[in-house]
Amino acid sequence: MLYLFWKGNGKIMKRVIAECPYNDYYLYVVFHKNEGRRYANLIPIDGSSGLKRKTISYARYLMSVKEGRILNEDEHVDHKDDDKTNDDINNLQILSLRENNIKEAKRRGTKMVVLKCPYCGVIFEKPRVKTFLVKGGHFAACSRNCSSRFGALLQFHPNDPKLLQALKENIINEYIKHE
């Protein structure tokens, strides 16, 4: 890194020339409080060069410097330990969008629901996204057979206290399942 000093606003200030492949830019590293990570603000050294100011994550900047090239849009820089503030070069890796999404899904886990079939009373579990809680409807049954039978009962006897109680007892628990 090359440092240039100039006098501005009565103070001696320091400008850092970014490393290859961004050596046509000044580098300012800023911390984004809301996102909890650092960003690299890259400002063209020569305003007449046609280059535009750009902001990228500091981790992406570091990986570009390590690789000696500007990363493609489909290359994502991932923090191995999932700590966005740990920009140590040994903690960074390049992943494709698909690989990054799979890693994030495993970290977050799958939202699951434990249900009780309103028709036969069998207890079963399903991913939350495959239930009426997301898809719409009034209940989840253990099979299509139970679903159609209970739906028919509910259609012909909508105010039956036993059926209404079975609807209330349909959801037993929700939790996150980690692989």
Side-chain angles (χ1 to χ4, degrees):
M1 268 186 237
L2 177 64
Y3 296 98
L4 299 174
F5 295 93
W6 83 99
K7 196 165 188 168
N9 297 335
K11 300 178 186 174
I12 303 251
M13 302 180 81
K14 167 171 78 167
R15 280 192 176 174
V16 178
I17 296 179
E19 295 180 57
C20 182
Y22 295 106
N23 38 359
D24 293 333
Y25 293 90
Y26 289 119
L27 170 68
Y28 296 95
V29 179
V30 295
F31 185 78
H32 194 288
K33 290 179 189 175
N34 293 343
E35 292 189 23
R37 69 170 62 205
R38 290 188 289 181
Y39 281 91
N41 287 337
L42 299 163
I43 300 165
I45 292 173
D46 181 12
S48 65
S49 66
L51 295 173
K52 299 208 186 251
R53 177 184 189 140
K54 56 173 85 177
T55 301
I56 59 174
S57 75
Y58 189 59
R60 188 171 187 83
Y61 168 79
L62 290 174
M63 280 305 277
S64 293
V65 169
K66 178 184 175 193
E67 295 289 314
R69 62 182 175 85
I70 296 174
L71 300 178
N72 299 328
E73 285 186 29
D74 61 339
E75 294 177 307
H76 293 257
V77 177
D78 176 60
H79 292 81
K80 293 176 186 175
D81 67 355
D82 295 325
D83 180 5
K84 295 184 286 188
T85 61
N86 183 3
D87 288 327
D88 182 85
I89 197 69
N90 297 318
N91 184 45
L92 302 176
Q93 63 183 347
I94 298 174
L95 297 177
S96 69
L97 174 62
R98 183 175 185 278
E99 292 167 332
N100 201 26
N101 288 342
I102 289 170
K103 181 182 177 201
E104 183 62 18
K106 285 180 181 177
R107 186 185 69 78
R108 285 187 179 169
T110 304
K111 292 181 181 178
M112 300 293 289
V113 183
V114 178
L115 301 157
K116 180 179 178 183
C117 180
Y119 187 75
C120 69
V122 168
I123 294 176
F124 62 101
E125 69 179 21
K126 277 188 170 181
R128 190 176 196 280
V129 296
K130 294 185 178 184
T131 67
F132 71 98
L133 297 168
V134 174
K135 289 180 161 186
H138 302 289
F139 65 92
C142 64
S143 66
R144 287 185 183 178
N145 190 18
C146 284
S147 181
S148 62
R149 289 181 182 198
F150 187 76
L153 287 174
L154 201 56
Q155 184 178 5
F156 293 114
H157 309 288
N159 297 323
D160 185 340
K162 287 183 179 179
L163 298 179
L164 295 175
Q165 184 62 30
L167 284 174
K168 286 181 184 176
E169 295 173 352
N170 192 214
I171 301 170
I172 295 176
N173 188 22
E174 293 188 48
Y175 68 97
I176 296 176
K177 181 179 181 180
H178 294 279
E179 292 182 21

